[in-house]
Amino acid sequence: MSYEELPHTADVKIRACAPTLDALFGEACRALMQVMYGGDRSGGTTRSIDLDAPDQESLFCDFLSEVLYVSEVDGLVFRQADVRLEGMHIHAVLDGEPFDPVRHNKGTEVKGISYSGLSIQKDAKGYMLDILFDV
Amino acid sequence: MLDGVIRAGTNEWEIPVGYVPGMRVPGRFFLSDALAALLEPGAVQQLANVATLPGIVRCSLGMPDIHWGYGFPIGGVAAFSLDEGVISPGGVGFDINCGVRLFTTPLAQADIKKPREFIESLFHAVPTGVGAKSSLKISPAALTAVMEKGARWAVEAGYGVERDLARCEEGGCMKQADIRAVSAKARARGIPQGGTLGSGNHFLEIQVVSEIYDEIAAKAFGLLKGQICCMIHCGSRGLGHQVCTDHLKTLETATKKYHITLPDRQLACAPIQSPEGKAYFGAMAAAANYAWANRQLIMHAARLQFERMFSIGYESMPLVYDVTHNVAKIEEHTVDGHRVTLCVHRKGATRSFGPGTRDLPGDLATIGQPVIIPGSMGTSSFVLKGTATAMERTFGSTCHGSGRVMSRSQAKKRMTGKEVADHLLAQGIIVRAPNEAAIADEAPEVYKPSSEVVQVVHDAGLSALVARLSPLGVIKG
């Protein structure tokens, strides 16, 4: 499992890889939190997310948009997400901690999750996701 | 230039119909030969994609700060017929009514004896960066008023003076705001963020007027050489981002319902007159109003610091103008000799209304609208004026900034935030940010030179140079 930032002039483009789709969603969530708050994130406070979407790409965008929303409104910074997919339904438990202005000031605000350039591919090794965050 | 793009004049290029399948009109963009070397194929593709949307009028336009975005390119302008056309959040962006305002002061550079201390006081007066919350508590009822009244809400609540409103595009309020179309989630994000700057490329900057190009217009705008000014760049915060996210989802479904074929899902759209299109437009206008109130609140906080530090009167700091650069508006334009009402999308583009147009304050009616173009951190910003040429050629639009040329990850590899800050300090520019990475991300080298971009719009007649502003101190979000 891994993710990396790909070159993109205006925004942040992320490539995440994972052996399963469940783990791929979790990686994308970790990447989002890394971009927004930096790497120093611990756990202890949980939130769960349940969503349905008409297709897989929408489910990705909706899930990450929901993480963005919960993080901002509840003032939480998540370390990881435990994701379970059943068809086009996602159940995720996010583990994080309250936002700390000193420890969590290493990132940049993400304004939205874009459909542009979004792709999910599968090969023998697992899944690969490309996704663009508007910053 | 890229294969398939045709030169249409000095600094002007055409993307012919057929460049991507389904184009209804050509694409046209303004770019000097020097800037053409920096043009990304993705940006041209996006400009061509916009030309496939139903009801697009004349052409899909790109300003010289064009770059690769999502949906529309950044620097994109497109107008749509109200009968057959569509409205798309991809033509506005997540940060609805991201914009810029500029106010002047009676101070000269020599009056700022302790610049570091002053920048620090501003940094603490304006909540800045990721997770920053406002000290202002906006009640749910007040939030409704913010979304309906925009900058007027702030002025009525004591955060400004009546004259400020006449110096905002649209008077700082889009009357079409429909708060019923704004979700509970968007409201929840809006409540704690009134008067916050945000992060990324948002900033508050202390500048000095370093050059005047047009004495008459500068005088009308209230600009004098050597004068200290303050520029504020930010938008509608989480409320606007959520409005875009929510309606993108609704319009995705609507795109299928109205049988619209799209080359990019981020261009999700609906007919302007459809229930879905109207709902997005009403919610977008409400978010735009939040942004105008937000910039008004930040300006108020900055004015109070000037008052406190330099014992100058609040009224001696007039607003030059406030422009939006991410918005869709219903405007009247002349097309093929006929007056028509259109829905003009500007995504990373600024309105540039010429002399005699609607919505100009009386004393600027013969001059044209002030156009404010922020530079990147450490480079000059510019004030221009709107022109008749822009009205004829670009639906009254011009560029909005300089446009990035380097990704954030590349920028961080080149220089640390401290190196960038030290380098700027050597030029007499103080930078203050919540973290070093924010400084590295926005180093001057990662943007196209702002002077080249404005020279192209000046030469093309899309707006005309009035004054140059040089940075002295920057607060980065």
Side-chain angles (χ1 to χ4, degrees), chain B residues 276-311:
Chain B
E276 297 88 346
K278 282 182 177 166
Y280 168 65
F281 184 62
M284 182 217 69
N289 291 346
Y290 182 94
W292 271 307
N294 195 40
R295 288 196 288 276
Q296 183 73 33
L297 291 169
I298 293 172
M299 176 171 76
H300 176 74
R303 278 171 167 171
L304 291 185
Q305 292 308 310
F306 271 104
E307 247 190 346
R308 192 178 64 81
M309 295 281 285
F310 305 103
S311 305

mmCIF file of all heavy atoms in Angstrom, chain B residues 276-311:
data_model
loop_
_atom_site.group_PDB
_atom_site.id
_atom_site.type_symbol
_atom_site.label_atom_id
_atom_site.label_comp_id
_atom_site.label_asym_id
_atom_site.label_seq_id
_atom_site.Cartn_x
_atom_site.Cartn_y
_atom_site.Cartn_z
ATOM 1 N N GLU B 276 -32.565 22.105 -11.741
ATOM 2 C CA GLU B 276 -31.227 21.821 -11.202
ATOM 3 C C GLU B 276 -30.272 22.983 -11.480
ATOM 4 O O GLU B 276 -29.457 23.352 -10.629
ATOM 5 C CB GLU B 276 -30.656 20.539 -11.839
ATOM 6 C CG GLU B 276 -31.455 19.279 -11.524
ATOM 7 C CD GLU B 276 -32.601 19.009 -12.519
ATOM 8 O OE1 GLU B 276 -32.949 19.926 -13.306
ATOM 9 O OE2 GLU B 276 -33.132 17.893 -12.506
ATOM 10 N N GLY B 277 -30.382 23.546 -12.688
ATOM 11 C CA GLY B 277 -29.526 24.676 -13.068
ATOM 12 C C GLY B 277 -29.825 25.897 -12.210
ATOM 13 O O GLY B 277 -28.917 26.572 -11.716
ATOM 14 N N LYS B 278 -31.110 26.151 -12.008
ATOM 15 C CA LYS B 278 -31.518 27.306 -11.184
ATOM 16 C C LYS B 278 -31.060 27.133 -9.733
ATOM 17 O O LYS B 278 -30.646 28.094 -9.090
ATOM 18 C CB LYS B 278 -33.043 27.468 -11.212
ATOM 19 C CG LYS B 278 -33.556 28.110 -12.493
ATOM 20 C CD LYS B 278 -35.059 28.263 -12.403
ATOM 21 C CE LYS B 278 -35.615 28.956 -13.628
ATOM 22 N NZ LYS B 278 -37.067 28.821 -13.712
ATOM 23 N N ALA B 279 -31.189 25.895 -9.227
ATOM 24 C CA ALA B 279 -30.771 25.637 -7.832
ATOM 25 C C ALA B 279 -29.280 25.901 -7.673
ATOM 26 O O ALA B 279 -28.854 26.554 -6.709
ATOM 27 C CB ALA B 279 -31.111 24.202 -7.436
ATOM 28 N N TYR B 280 -28.471 25.414 -8.637
ATOM 29 C CA TYR B 280 -27.026 25.666 -8.529
ATOM 30 C C TYR B 280 -26.748 27.165 -8.595
ATOM 31 O O TYR B 280 -25.981 27.701 -7.781
ATOM 32 C CB TYR B 280 -26.221 24.921 -9.615
ATOM 33 C CG TYR B 280 -24.796 25.427 -9.644
ATOM 34 C CD1 TYR B 280 -23.954 25.215 -8.548
ATOM 35 C CD2 TYR B 280 -24.301 26.169 -10.719
ATOM 36 C CE1 TYR B 280 -22.664 25.725 -8.524
ATOM 37 C CE2 TYR B 280 -23.017 26.691 -10.697
ATOM 38 C CZ TYR B 280 -22.199 26.459 -9.602
ATOM 39 O OH TYR B 280 -20.933 26.987 -9.566
ATOM 40 N N PHE B 281 -27.385 27.842 -9.532
ATOM 41 C CA PHE B 281 -27.120 29.276 -9.689
ATOM 42 C C PHE B 281 -27.482 30.038 -8.404
ATOM 43 O O PHE B 281 -26.718 30.895 -7.938
ATOM 44 C CB PHE B 281 -27.895 29.842 -10.885
ATOM 45 C CG PHE B 281 -27.592 31.293 -11.159
ATOM 46 C CD1 PHE B 281 -26.305 31.693 -11.502
ATOM 47 C CD2 PHE B 281 -28.577 32.256 -11.067
ATOM 48 C CE1 PHE B 281 -26.007 33.033 -11.743
ATOM 49 C CE2 PHE B 281 -28.298 33.603 -11.318
ATOM 50 C CZ PHE B 281 -27.011 33.988 -11.646
ATOM 51 N N GLY B 282 -28.622 29.694 -7.795
ATOM 52 C CA GLY B 282 -29.056 30.366 -6.564
ATOM 53 C C GLY B 282 -28.106 30.103 -5.402
ATOM 54 O O GLY B 282 -27.785 31.006 -4.622
ATOM 55 N N ALA B 283 -27.641 28.841 -5.302
ATOM 56 C CA ALA B 283 -26.709 28.487 -4.221
ATOM 57 C C ALA B 283 -25.347 29.135 -4.466
ATOM 58 O O ALA B 283 -24.697 29.623 -3.536
ATOM 59 C CB ALA B 283 -26.565 26.969 -4.142
ATOM 60 N N MET B 284 -24.930 29.135 -5.741
ATOM 61 C CA MET B 284 -23.647 29.766 -6.078
ATOM 62 C C MET B 284 -23.672 31.251 -5.719
ATOM 63 O O MET B 284 -22.704 31.789 -5.164
ATOM 64 C CB MET B 284 -23.360 29.577 -7.577
ATOM 65 C CG MET B 284 -22.041 30.160 -8.015
ATOM 66 S SD MET B 284 -22.120 30.905 -9.662
ATOM 67 C CE MET B 284 -23.157 32.312 -9.345
ATOM 68 N N ALA B 285 -24.806 31.923 -6.024
ATOM 69 C CA ALA B 285 -24.928 33.355 -5.715
ATOM 70 C C ALA B 285 -24.874 33.572 -4.200
ATOM 71 O O ALA B 285 -24.252 34.531 -3.726
ATOM 72 C CB ALA B 285 -26.225 33.907 -6.295
ATOM 73 N N ALA B 286 -25.489 32.663 -3.429
ATOM 74 C CA ALA B 286 -25.446 32.770 -1.960
ATOM 75 C C ALA B 286 -24.009 32.632 -1.454
ATOM 76 O O ALA B 286 -23.578 33.366 -0.558
ATOM 77 C CB ALA B 286 -26.340 31.706 -1.324
ATOM 78 N N ALA B 287 -23.264 31.684 -2.049
ATOM 79 C CA ALA B 287 -21.858 31.497 -1.663
ATOM 80 C C ALA B 287 -21.023 32.708 -2.084
ATOM 81 O O ALA B 287 -20.123 33.141 -1.356
ATOM 82 C CB ALA B 287 -21.304 30.222 -2.296
ATOM 83 N N ALA B 288 -21.339 33.266 -3.253
ATOM 84 C CA ALA B 288 -20.620 34.471 -3.718
ATOM 85 C C ALA B 288 -20.835 35.604 -2.717
ATOM 86 O O ALA B 288 -19.899 36.336 -2.380
ATOM 87 C CB ALA B 288 -21.103 34.876 -5.102
ATOM 88 N N ASN B 289 -22.048 35.716 -2.205
ATOM 89 C CA ASN B 289 -22.343 36.762 -1.221
ATOM 90 C C ASN B 289 -21.560 36.540 0.073
ATOM 91 O O ASN B 289 -21.061 37.484 0.692
ATOM 92 C CB ASN B 289 -23.846 36.821 -0.942
ATOM 93 C CG ASN B 289 -24.615 37.338 -2.150
ATOM 94 O OD1 ASN B 289 -24.018 37.891 -3.087
ATOM 95 N ND2 ASN B 289 -25.922 37.167 -2.144
ATOM 96 N N TYR B 290 -21.441 35.267 0.479
ATOM 97 C CA TYR B 290 -20.631 34.948 1.669
ATOM 98 C C TYR B 290 -19.191 35.441 1.450
ATOM 99 O O TYR B 290 -18.579 36.018 2.353
ATOM 100 C CB TYR B 290 -20.660 33.434 1.913
ATOM 101 C CG TYR B 290 -19.909 32.982 3.144
ATOM 102 C CD1 TYR B 290 -20.556 32.818 4.362
ATOM 103 C CD2 TYR B 290 -18.540 32.719 3.089
ATOM 104 C CE1 TYR B 290 -19.863 32.401 5.493
ATOM 105 C CE2 TYR B 290 -17.830 32.308 4.207
ATOM 106 C CZ TYR B 290 -18.499 32.145 5.412
ATOM 107 O OH TYR B 290 -17.804 31.734 6.524
ATOM 108 N N ALA B 291 -18.680 35.213 0.239
ATOM 109 C CA ALA B 291 -17.294 35.624 -0.058
ATOM 110 C C ALA B 291 -17.140 37.142 0.027
ATOM 111 O O ALA B 291 -16.138 37.642 0.545
ATOM 112 C CB ALA B 291 -16.882 35.119 -1.431
ATOM 113 N N TRP B 292 -18.131 37.886 -0.484
ATOM 114 C CA TRP B 292 -18.025 39.357 -0.406
ATOM 115 C C TRP B 292 -18.043 39.822 1.043
ATOM 116 O O TRP B 292 -17.301 40.719 1.429
ATOM 117 C CB TRP B 292 -19.144 40.031 -1.213
ATOM 118 C CG TRP B 292 -18.758 40.262 -2.638
ATOM 119 C CD1 TRP B 292 -17.631 40.909 -3.089
ATOM 120 C CD2 TRP B 292 -19.475 39.855 -3.807
ATOM 121 N NE1 TRP B 292 -17.613 40.914 -4.464
ATOM 122 C CE2 TRP B 292 -18.732 40.279 -4.922
ATOM 123 C CE3 TRP B 292 -20.677 39.184 -4.015
ATOM 124 C CZ2 TRP B 292 -19.149 40.064 -6.239
ATOM 125 C CZ3 TRP B 292 -21.089 38.956 -5.313
ATOM 126 C CH2 TRP B 292 -20.338 39.390 -6.417
ATOM 127 N N ALA B 293 -18.908 39.193 1.860
ATOM 128 C CA ALA B 293 -18.950 39.540 3.285
ATOM 129 C C ALA B 293 -17.615 39.183 3.938
ATOM 130 O O ALA B 293 -17.088 39.940 4.760
ATOM 131 C CB ALA B 293 -20.102 38.811 3.968
ATOM 132 N N ASN B 294 -17.059 38.037 3.549
ATOM 133 C CA ASN B 294 -15.792 37.585 4.122
ATOM 134 C C ASN B 294 -14.659 38.570 3.838
ATOM 135 O O ASN B 294 -13.903 38.943 4.735
ATOM 136 C CB ASN B 294 -15.455 36.197 3.556
ATOM 137 C CG ASN B 294 -14.369 35.501 4.338
ATOM 138 O OD1 ASN B 294 -14.345 35.583 5.557
ATOM 139 N ND2 ASN B 294 -13.466 34.844 3.640
ATOM 140 N N ARG B 295 -14.556 39.025 2.585
ATOM 141 C CA ARG B 295 -13.486 39.989 2.261
ATOM 142 C C ARG B 295 -13.734 41.317 2.981
ATOM 143 O O ARG B 295 -12.799 42.012 3.348
ATOM 144 C CB ARG B 295 -13.374 40.179 0.740
ATOM 145 C CG ARG B 295 -12.769 38.969 0.039
ATOM 146 C CD ARG B 295 -12.295 39.280 -1.374
ATOM 147 N NE ARG B 295 -13.345 39.492 -2.336
ATOM 148 C CZ ARG B 295 -13.992 38.540 -3.002
ATOM 149 N NH1 ARG B 295 -13.697 37.272 -2.789
ATOM 150 N NH2 ARG B 295 -14.925 38.830 -3.882
ATOM 151 N N GLN B 296 -15.019 41.662 3.152
ATOM 152 C CA GLN B 296 -15.345 42.904 3.867
ATOM 153 C C GLN B 296 -14.876 42.793 5.336
ATOM 154 O O GLN B 296 -14.302 43.732 5.883
ATOM 155 C CB GLN B 296 -16.858 43.150 3.792
ATOM 156 C CG GLN B 296 -17.324 44.452 4.425
ATOM 157 C CD GLN B 296 -16.962 45.696 3.622
ATOM 158 O OE1 GLN B 296 -16.916 45.662 2.396
ATOM 159 N NE2 GLN B 296 -16.675 46.780 4.317
ATOM 160 N N LEU B 297 -15.111 41.627 5.961
ATOM 161 C CA LEU B 297 -14.710 41.415 7.357
ATOM 162 C C LEU B 297 -13.188 41.472 7.503
ATOM 163 O O LEU B 297 -12.662 42.047 8.462
ATOM 164 C CB LEU B 297 -15.227 40.052 7.853
ATOM 165 C CG LEU B 297 -16.742 39.920 8.039
ATOM 166 C CD1 LEU B 297 -17.117 38.454 8.270
ATOM 167 C CD2 LEU B 297 -17.225 40.769 9.208
ATOM 168 N N ILE B 298 -12.487 40.869 6.543
ATOM 169 C CA ILE B 298 -11.020 40.859 6.607
ATOM 170 C C ILE B 298 -10.484 42.285 6.410
ATOM 171 O O ILE B 298 -9.570 42.719 7.111
ATOM 172 C CB ILE B 298 -10.431 39.875 5.564
ATOM 173 C CG1 ILE B 298 -10.807 38.441 5.957
ATOM 174 C CG2 ILE B 298 -8.922 40.031 5.457
ATOM 175 C CD1 ILE B 298 -10.454 37.394 4.913
ATOM 176 N N MET B 299 -11.096 43.016 5.464
ATOM 177 C CA MET B 299 -10.668 44.403 5.242
ATOM 178 C C MET B 299 -10.873 45.215 6.525
ATOM 179 O O MET B 299 -10.009 46.012 6.899
ATOM 180 C CB MET B 299 -11.439 45.038 4.084
ATOM 181 C CG MET B 299 -11.086 46.518 3.889
ATOM 182 S SD MET B 299 -11.764 47.233 2.390
ATOM 183 C CE MET B 299 -13.470 47.450 2.837
ATOM 184 N N HIS B 300 -12.001 44.993 7.189
ATOM 185 C CA HIS B 300 -12.293 45.721 8.429
ATOM 186 C C HIS B 300 -11.204 45.434 9.475
ATOM 187 O O HIS B 300 -10.674 46.361 10.100
ATOM 188 C CB HIS B 300 -13.674 45.317 8.954
ATOM 189 C CG HIS B 300 -14.030 45.935 10.264
ATOM 190 N ND1 HIS B 300 -14.390 47.250 10.389
ATOM 191 C CD2 HIS B 300 -14.049 45.410 11.518
ATOM 192 C CE1 HIS B 300 -14.629 47.521 11.660
ATOM 193 N NE2 HIS B 300 -14.443 46.419 12.359
ATOM 194 N N ALA B 301 -10.859 44.147 9.627
ATOM 195 C CA ALA B 301 -9.828 43.769 10.616
ATOM 196 C C ALA B 301 -8.494 44.441 10.268
ATOM 197 O O ALA B 301 -7.790 44.923 11.164
ATOM 198 C CB ALA B 301 -9.673 42.252 10.640
ATOM 199 N N ALA B 302 -8.165 44.496 8.982
ATOM 200 C CA ALA B 302 -6.900 45.122 8.562
ATOM 201 C C ALA B 302 -6.953 46.637 8.799
ATOM 202 O O ALA B 302 -5.984 47.231 9.286
ATOM 203 C CB ALA B 302 -6.628 44.807 7.094
ATOM 204 N N ARG B 303 -8.081 47.257 8.467
ATOM 205 C CA ARG B 303 -8.208 48.704 8.695
ATOM 206 C C ARG B 303 -8.018 49.044 10.171
ATOM 207 O O ARG B 303 -7.384 50.042 10.515
ATOM 208 C CB ARG B 303 -9.602 49.182 8.242
ATOM 209 C CG ARG B 303 -9.732 49.446 6.742
ATOM 210 C CD ARG B 303 -11.193 49.689 6.414
ATOM 211 N NE ARG B 303 -11.403 50.242 5.079
ATOM 212 C CZ ARG B 303 -12.607 50.359 4.529
ATOM 213 N NH1 ARG B 303 -13.691 49.956 5.174
ATOM 214 N NH2 ARG B 303 -12.734 50.880 3.313
ATOM 215 N N LEU B 304 -8.573 48.207 11.071
ATOM 216 C CA LEU B 304 -8.435 48.473 12.503
ATOM 217 C C LEU B 304 -6.961 48.439 12.931
ATOM 218 O O LEU B 304 -6.534 49.232 13.766
ATOM 219 C CB LEU B 304 -9.244 47.464 13.329
ATOM 220 C CG LEU B 304 -10.769 47.559 13.233
ATOM 221 C CD1 LEU B 304 -11.417 46.567 14.202
ATOM 222 C CD2 LEU B 304 -11.292 48.967 13.503
ATOM 223 N N GLN B 305 -6.197 47.528 12.327
ATOM 224 C CA GLN B 305 -4.762 47.464 12.662
ATOM 225 C C GLN B 305 -4.034 48.711 12.161
ATOM 226 O O GLN B 305 -3.156 49.243 12.842
ATOM 227 C CB GLN B 305 -4.117 46.194 12.079
ATOM 228 C CG GLN B 305 -4.591 44.907 12.707
ATOM 229 C CD GLN B 305 -4.485 44.936 14.224
ATOM 230 O OE1 GLN B 305 -3.447 45.270 14.795
ATOM 231 N NE2 GLN B 305 -5.587 44.625 14.903
ATOM 232 N N PHE B 306 -4.385 49.175 10.957
ATOM 233 C CA PHE B 306 -3.785 50.423 10.441
ATOM 234 C C PHE B 306 -4.129 51.585 11.370
ATOM 235 O O PHE B 306 -3.271 52.394 11.711
ATOM 236 C CB PHE B 306 -4.313 50.732 9.032
ATOM 237 C CG PHE B 306 -3.512 50.116 7.921
ATOM 238 C CD1 PHE B 306 -3.979 49.001 7.239
ATOM 239 C CD2 PHE B 306 -2.304 50.668 7.516
ATOM 240 C CE1 PHE B 306 -3.261 48.437 6.188
ATOM 241 C CE2 PHE B 306 -1.571 50.117 6.473
ATOM 242 C CZ PHE B 306 -2.046 48.998 5.805
ATOM 243 N N GLU B 307 -5.403 51.639 11.783
ATOM 244 C CA GLU B 307 -5.866 52.711 12.681
ATOM 245 C C GLU B 307 -5.056 52.715 13.975
ATOM 246 O O GLU B 307 -4.580 53.747 14.419
ATOM 247 C CB GLU B 307 -7.339 52.430 13.044
ATOM 248 C CG GLU B 307 -8.321 53.414 12.500
ATOM 249 C CD GLU B 307 -9.721 53.184 13.109
ATOM 250 O OE1 GLU B 307 -9.990 52.136 13.733
ATOM 251 O OE2 GLU B 307 -10.530 54.068 12.952
ATOM 252 N N ARG B 308 -4.911 51.516 14.539
ATOM 253 C CA ARG B 308 -4.238 51.368 15.835
ATOM 254 C C ARG B 308 -2.743 51.691 15.747
ATOM 255 O O ARG B 308 -2.201 52.395 16.580
ATOM 256 C CB ARG B 308 -4.431 49.911 16.311
ATOM 257 C CG ARG B 308 -4.058 49.639 17.743
ATOM 258 C CD ARG B 308 -4.347 48.181 18.112
ATOM 259 N NE ARG B 308 -3.529 47.238 17.358
ATOM 260 C CZ ARG B 308 -2.270 46.924 17.671
ATOM 261 N NH1 ARG B 308 -1.695 47.472 18.718
ATOM 262 N NH2 ARG B 308 -1.595 46.057 16.949
ATOM 263 N N MET B 309 -2.107 51.187 14.691
ATOM 264 C CA MET B 309 -0.649 51.345 14.601
ATOM 265 C C MET B 309 -0.230 52.740 14.142
ATOM 266 O O MET B 309 0.850 53.204 14.469
ATOM 267 C CB MET B 309 -0.067 50.310 13.620
ATOM 268 C CG MET B 309 -0.215 48.873 14.039
ATOM 269 S SD MET B 309 0.997 48.309 15.271
ATOM 270 C CE MET B 309 2.488 48.129 14.307
ATOM 271 N N PHE B 310 -1.048 53.371 13.301
ATOM 272 C CA PHE B 310 -0.591 54.626 12.672
ATOM 273 C C PHE B 310 -1.487 55.827 12.981
ATOM 274 O O PHE B 310 -1.275 56.906 12.417
ATOM 275 C CB PHE B 310 -0.482 54.438 11.152
ATOM 276 C CG PHE B 310 0.400 53.291 10.768
ATOM 277 C CD1 PHE B 310 -0.134 52.082 10.341
ATOM 278 C CD2 PHE B 310 1.785 53.400 10.868
ATOM 279 C CE1 PHE B 310 0.674 51.004 10.011
ATOM 280 C CE2 PHE B 310 2.612 52.327 10.544
ATOM 281 C CZ PHE B 310 2.051 51.126 10.111
ATOM 282 N N SER B 311 -2.500 55.617 13.831
ATOM 283 C CA SER B 311 -3.418 56.702 14.214
ATOM 284 C C SER B 311 -3.994 57.422 12.992
ATOM 285 O O SER B 311 -3.972 58.649 12.906
ATOM 286 C CB SER B 311 -2.705 57.715 15.122
ATOM 287 O OG SER B 311 -2.154 57.071 16.225
#
